[in-house]
Amino acid sequence: MDIFIVDDEPIIHVVYKKILANNGYNILGEAFDGEEALQLIKSMDKKPEVIIMDFRMPIMNGLETTKELLYLYPHLNIIFISADVSVRKEALALGAKLFLEKPFERNGFLKAIELLQTS
Amino acid sequence: MNPSEDYDDCKTCFVLEQDVSELEKYIEDIWSFLPIPVAYMTPLGIIIDINKGMEELLRNSRDELVGANLGFFFKDKNEAKMIVKIIRHDSKLQIFDSVIFDSEKEIKNVRIFVMPRLNIKGEIIGVFISFIDMTDQIIAQKQIIIERNNAKLYLDVLTHDINNQNQAIISLLELSKDYEDLNDVTQSDIGIALSQAWAISNLIKNVKMLSDLNQKPIILRDIEINSLIKYAIESVKNSNPEKNIKVELKGLDHLIFVQANDLINNVFQNILENAVKYSLGSHVRIQIKCSIAENDKFWKIEFIDFGKGVKDEIKSIIFNRLQRGEKGIKGSGLGLAIVRGILTQFGGKVLVKDRIDGDYSKGSNFIIYLMRGDSI
């Protein structure tokens, strides 16, 4: 399964990549802000099956990025992962499939990815 | 009329004159004694007289102010004209907030009270006007808003950033536990570090919740609590795997609806966590009883534990922020403060009693009252 990571914290990228790689997932790409994510995903022939999206990021936040991405590619699976629980409703209303609160447990995170894989 | 009647009339006149003179003196004394600035002016706003308070506020002498147009002191001259217009059409007491200059051009925020004086025919013959200096109050209010917003921003940034960094710590510790060649001591140390990282996140979450409690408008709805109590029990069992927790339920065999919102989960979880935290040994026994109370308007839910209990001197302060029940017990001391904060918003309350009256050491009874919902 191909996954794309969008988060402005480099250490969080390390964490995601370690957990996902240990569990057989492929990291298709990564971005550190919403705009970079948009550009990279637009340029990809093969789109990611799951996008992990943070909320607070420079240049373009996770909500704006989710809106743009789903407008362009309505079938993308976006899982919103943020320490900001206040944006949960908005993220889901925009079309994110799941919302996870940071910090999360590894098992909960992996279950969420599995859920998207089977849906 | 005989001479003696004449004499009596003159005597009456003299007494009346004396009374009027006394009265005038009395009014003058009150006028100058009044600590609030007052002016008397014509219906067109020309100052006839001012008291000492007004002299001090406008930083000008009475001699210089009498005869001046009061509009001169307003920052917005049209506002003064508008006040005069309103007075002509409505002879009741009027209150306005405005900005004036004193004679040294210093700006003052004032609350203005304007009261027309009428003659017997109901015509306006003069106007009393009083200014209350609100400058310091307005500056303080603005400062409070700025400081409150700053505090909110700092907390927001802190909450977000600590949770982000804690995510990395938690995930890396979880990954470290996977290494097979770790000895038992290292495994145990990683476990302790993990639980501490979670404790930091819970502390941050609680501080944020407590801060948000009084800032967001509360919308209550009917919430069924049977399943929430069961969920809270399971959750507390999961977070305390080293303890054997048994919970007996009474009065929960029919659906119970209360006026609340999603924060109610935190009430049940915090009270149960508290009961487990202060229990003795690894076996924890808790009873939860539901009954109708307070003229059928409330549900009374009792959480009875068999733990260390709460000493009488602590009972009244245990719901205060940062109050811990006992030394050496881990926790932020925010749990019960959150319970009280949430219940207060729901129009309910919480109190603590001894499980057995008069003997705190046999355990506690945390009693919460929640308004009954309309749903059956």
Side-chain angles (χ1 to χ4, degrees), chain A residues 37-105:
Chain A
L38 263 177
Q39 283 170 1
L40 285 173
I41 292 169
K42 273 186 201 172
S43 69
M44 286 173 167
D45 292 332
K46 188 188 176 196
K47 304 297 177 206
E49 285 156 274
V50 171
I51 297 169
I52 294 169
M53 183 71 71
D54 184 26
F55 168 54
R56 278 191 210 184
M57 292 181 291
I59 306 171
M60 187 185 273
N61 71 35
L63 289 175
E64 292 164 332
T65 316
T66 299
K67 198 175 171 181
E68 284 283 317
L69 279 173
L70 290 176
Y71 175 75
L72 295 169
Y73 315 106
H75 300 298
L76 282 179
N77 287 317
I78 296 178
I79 173 167
F80 224 88
I81 303 182
S82 173
D84 274 290
V85 277
S86 61
V87 297
R88 181 196 298 265
K89 274 186 185 167
E90 205 175 339
L92 295 174
L94 281 174
K97 292 282 190 325
L98 289 169
F99 184 99
L100 274 189
E101 182 184 350
K102 278 181 192 164
F104 54 76
E105 273 183 289

Side-chain angles (χ1 to χ4, degrees), chain B residues 358-375:
Chain B
D359 185 356
Y360 82 86
S361 66
K362 295 282 191 297
S364 309
N365 184 4
F366 282 84
I367 306 168
I368 67 169
Y369 289 85
L370 283 160
M371 283 197 287
R372 284 180 74 178
D374 296 325
S375 306

